[in-house]
């Protein structure tokens, strides 16, 4: 029978097991502090047992188990590591020595958290005096002795010193407690002792001296004797013989050497003497040295050699000679010994180690063939002496100089003229002339120097006036250059900007030509044209003094201020004055505007004329009858205004049931009204009622101000009642 476990029960069991097994892993802790304690105290004497205790104060959850890792340090270097679950750890230093002195601290590591203690300094005092031993107390000069210096029980890096009184024999540094070495001692008695020191960082501790051991050294009898024949005072040409000897039986490794200064004359003086011919430079100390093993003994004496004649002196006259000039070389002896005569001396003159003449004088003509290194040799009584070397180099006359300029030559600007001769011995004097008048001069004494002159011209033709003169041997060596011929750059003058057509006659659609010209300037010349807003519109370089630019089919927007600039290789630009360009309308546009204006004027005149005629017509028709509806109504009631000539009386007629009613107005009153209201034309209104429809054939009507004419009759049709009224009426009707 199988039992099924519910999924929820299974998950709970797993969770419980996880919590039980990870209790320690989830423990919370905090390292409050770490303390290092040195026991019994921070300063102790040697051989004391010292303990370093590292204590950790940790805050943690109840029931948690922590693992502590303790690390001890000395002078910031790890000493020991300890794993424990205790809250402290111990590091012991038994039988402490001075070498244990230093700075100590510890650190506690729990999981990945680490905390260090404070630093404590441990001082151990007291160094034992070392013990010195040697393998033998008596030895022969040249033998070595083995010495051992021991500092029992000391640790660290020790520096051992071996001394003989105040003289230091040897020193050696080691991390061992003893040192052993072989010493080669070279004098009678040595009182040897040793001591050591230990470095503690900023300070060092030194021990007391060891025991003193006396060592006796037996000297070797190998000191040589040196003799010379015939004497220590000799004259050049004498034979000298040196002898060296040692008062002992020669041994296998014995050496006997004769030296003069740093030069070894003989290394076999045991078997034979050394002989030589005395010379003046042989004066000085001679030393005989004997060697056996590592032991050296010496004896010396001084030899003085008197000159039989002085070193020859070579001279050339004149001291400076030019090619083609005569010169003389002389070899002379200034002093000589009494044992010889001047006639006994033989001379020879050599050039570049080649014999020129067997004499003390030589004459010749200076030139390339005679140039060289001259030496004179004098010989007498088997002694040959050589003079100092003298260099003869015939000077070369200066060649025709070349005159050039540095950089471009610009009118009214300073420039440099350079003078140079291809050949010629230094020093050379250069002069700058202008039409044979010296402007300036300079002397060139070194090959790196140049003759340069600063000058300036105001017109281009002045450049050909300059010449250069060179000399190095007075007037006879003067050479003159050719005249200076170089291109002279004339700066551009002020440009003149010309506009074609003239700025006042430029119309839209025209081509405008801008011409920029300068009065002077060396080509090539660059011209730059500017339009409005100081914008460059064209740049060109030409070989002439002017240039042009065409603005094709200009428009009103091309109006503005124009100017041009000109510049050349003088690197100086010049600007013209500003020319104002106004582009006017095209001719057809002007004609169109003129026609339009004329039409406008004609219409205005026509309007004025018609207005005038209209007013005049009103005045002329003032006497005529005007009819105008007073109140347009649907009952066809009409208002008739009757106006007649002022010579007639005005009447008002009322039509009612075919009856006419006339009212009469005084003439003077009508005239006054006419004068006061000329626009109304002497109008009087009378209401006429037509009970019956009006025959349109009898009275034609018009809207607005159209004038119609009608014949007014009575109901009976008899005109006699109105024979005194004009039969023609002006009727104005308004509906």
């Amino acid at each position: 029978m199988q039992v099924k476990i519910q999924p929820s029960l299974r998950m709970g069991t797993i969770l419980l097991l996880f919590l039980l097994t990870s209790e320690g892993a989830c423990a919370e802790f905090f390292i409050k502090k770490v303390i290092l304690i040195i026991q019994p105290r921070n300063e102790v004497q040697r051989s004391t047992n010292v303990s370093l205790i590292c204590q950790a104060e940790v805050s943690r959850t109840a029931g948690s188990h922590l693992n502590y890792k303790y690390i001890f340090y000395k002078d910031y270097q790890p000493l020991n590591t300890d794993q424990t679950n205790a809250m402290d750890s111990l590091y012991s230093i038994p039988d402490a020595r001075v070498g244990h002195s230093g700075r100590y601290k510890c650190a506690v590591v729990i999981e990945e958290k680490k905390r260090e203690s404070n630093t404590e300094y441990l001082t151990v005092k007291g160094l034992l005096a070392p013990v010195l031993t040697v393998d033998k107390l008596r030895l022969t000069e040249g033998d070595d002795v083995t010495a051992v210096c021991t500092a029992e029980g000391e640790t660290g890096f020790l520096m051992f010193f071996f001394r003989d009184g105040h003289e230091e024999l040897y020193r050696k540094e080691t991390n061992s407690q003893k040192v052993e070495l072989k010493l080669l001692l070279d004098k009678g008695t040595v009182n040897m002792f040793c001591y050591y020191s230990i470095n503690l960082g900023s300070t060092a501790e030194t021990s007391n001296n060891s025991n003193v051991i006396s060592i006796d050294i037996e000297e070797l009898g190998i000191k040589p004797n040196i003799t010379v024949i015939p004497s220590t005072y000799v004259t050049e040409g004498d034979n000298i013989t040196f002898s060296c000897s040692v008062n002992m039986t020669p041994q296998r490794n014995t050496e006997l050497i004769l030296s003069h200064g740093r030069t070894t004359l003989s290394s076999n003086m045991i078997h034979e003497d050394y002989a030589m011919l005395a010379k003046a430079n042989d004066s000085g100390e001679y030393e005989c040295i004997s060697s056996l093993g590592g032991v050296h003994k010496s004896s010396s004496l001084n030899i003085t050699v008197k000159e039989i004649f002085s070193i020859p002196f070579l001279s050339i006259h004149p001291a400076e000679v030019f090619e083609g000039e005569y010169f003389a070389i002389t070899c002379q002896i200034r002093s000589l010994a009494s044992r010889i005569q001047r006639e006994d001396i033989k001379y020879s003159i050599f050039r570049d180690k080649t014999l020129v003449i067997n004499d003390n004088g030589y004459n010749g003509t200076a030139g390339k063939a005679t140039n060289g290194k001259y030496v004179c040799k004098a010989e007498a009584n088997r002694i040959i002496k050589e003079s100092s070397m003298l260099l003869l180099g015939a000077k070369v006359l200066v060649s025709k100089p070349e005159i050039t300029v540095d950089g471009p030559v610009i009118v009214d600007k300073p420039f440099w003229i350079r003078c140079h001769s291809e050949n010629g011995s230094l020093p050379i004097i250069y002069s700058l002339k202008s039409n044979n008048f010296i402007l300036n001069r300079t002397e060139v004494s070194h090959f790196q120097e140049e003759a340069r002159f600063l000058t300036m011209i105001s017109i281009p033709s002045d450049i050909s006036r300059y010449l250069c003169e060179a000399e190095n041997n007075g007037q006879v060596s003067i050479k003159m250059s050719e005249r200076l011929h170089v291109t002279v750059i004339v700066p551009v003058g002020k440009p003149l900007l010309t506009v074609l057509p003239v700025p006042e006659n430029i119309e839209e659609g025209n081509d405008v030509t801008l011409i920029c010209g300068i009065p002077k300037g060396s080509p090539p010349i660059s011209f730059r044209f500017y339009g409005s807003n100081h914008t460059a519109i064209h740049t060109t370089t030409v070989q002439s003094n002017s240039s042009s630019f065409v603005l094709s089919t200009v428009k009103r927007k091309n109006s503005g201020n124009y100017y041009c600039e000109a510049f050349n290789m003088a690197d100086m630009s010049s600007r013209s004055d500003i020319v104002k360009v106004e582009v006017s309308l095209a001719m057809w546009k002007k004609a169109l505007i003129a026609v339009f204006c004329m039409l406008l004027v004609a219409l205005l005149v026509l309007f004025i004329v018609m207005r005038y005629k209209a007013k005049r017509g009103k005045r002329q028709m003032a006497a005529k009858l005007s009819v105008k509806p007073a109140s347009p109504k649907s009952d066809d009631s009409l208002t008739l205004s009757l106006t007649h000539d002022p010579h007639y009386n005005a009447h008002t007629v009322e039509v009612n049931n075919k009856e006419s009613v006339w009212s009469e107005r005084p003439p003077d009153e009508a005239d006054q009204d006419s004068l006061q209201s000329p626009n109304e034309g002497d109008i009087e209104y009378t209401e006429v009622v037509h009970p019956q429809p009006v025959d349109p054939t009898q009275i034609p009507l018009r809207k607005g101000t159209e004038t119609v004419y009608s014949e007014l009759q009575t109901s009976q049709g008899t005109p006699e009642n109105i024979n005194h009224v004009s039969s023609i009426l002006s009727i104005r009707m308004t509906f």
Side-chain angles (χ1 to χ4, degrees), residues 279 431 436:
K279 297 179 182 178
S431 301
N436 295 324

Side-chain angles (χ1 to χ4, degrees), residues 136-162:
K136 48 191 171 184
L137 299 178
R138 297 183 63 84
L139 61 152
T140 304
E141 186 179 8
D143 294 341
D144 52 30
V145 60
T146 301
V148 179
C149 186
T150 304
E152 188 67 35
E154 295 298 337
T155 62
F157 281 93
L158 306 179
M159 177 69 76
F160 287 89
F161 299 87
F162 293 84

Side-chain angles (χ1 to χ4, degrees), residues 523-563:
I525 299 173
S526 297
F527 292 92
R528 183 175 289 124
F529 296 85
Y530 292 86
S532 56
N533 298 327
H534 303 284
T535 302
I537 58 176
H538 181 66
T539 301
T540 184
T541 301
V542 297
Q543 297 293 328
S544 60
N545 285 2
S546 64
S547 180
S548 62
F549 175 65
V550 177
L551 295 172
S552 301
T553 316
V554 296
K555 299 179 181 180
R556 293 291 299 275
K557 67 179 182 180
N558 295 123
S559 299
N561 296 327
Y562 287 79
Y563 63 92

Side-chain angles (χ1 to χ4, degrees), residues 171-185:
R171 69 167 62 186
K172 183 178 181 180
E173 185 178 23
T174 179
N175 59 357
S176 176
Q177 62 183 0
K178 70 176 181 178
V179 64
E180 179 179 333
L181 72 152
K182 291 185 177 183
L183 295 175
L184 185 64
L185 305 177

Side-chain angles (χ1 to χ4, degrees), residues 4 44 61 66 72 141 168 235 275 325 328 337 385 427 431 459 477 495 504 545 570 667 669 687 704 720:
K4 291 186 178 180
V44 297
T61 58
L66 301 177
F72 290 89
E141 186 179 8
E168 183 177 303
T235 303
E325 295 181 345
K385 294 186 178 181
S431 301
I459 56 176
S477 63
E504 295 80 7
N545 285 2
E669 192 176 7
E687 184 179 356
E720 59 271 10

Side-chain angles (χ1 to χ4, degrees), residues 174-233:
T174 179
N175 59 357
S176 176
Q177 62 183 0
K178 70 176 181 178
V179 64
E180 179 179 333
L181 72 152
K182 291 185 177 183
L183 295 175
L184 185 64
L185 305 177
D186 57 359
K187 68 179 185 177
T189 302
V190 174
N191 296 315
M192 184 187 301
F193 65 90
C194 70
Y195 64 91
Y196 64 95
S197 67
I198 182 169
N199 189 0
L200 300 177
S202 59
T203 61
E205 289 285 338
T206 303
S207 71
N208 294 327
N209 295 337
S210 70
N211 54 309
V212 179
I213 298 178
S214 295
I215 302 173
D216 294 329
I217 303 166
E218 182 181 356
E219 184 178 1
L220 284 176
I222 60 172
K223 185 175 178 64
N225 296 320
I226 181 172
T227 58
V228 60
I229 298 174
S231 171
T232 56
Y233 293 92

Side-chain angles (χ1 to χ4, degrees), residues 260-272:
H260 178 211
R262 296 183 179 180
T263 304
T264 299
L265 301 178
S266 175
S267 59
N268 191 25
M269 294 299 293
I270 294 177
H271 301 94
E272 60 183 4

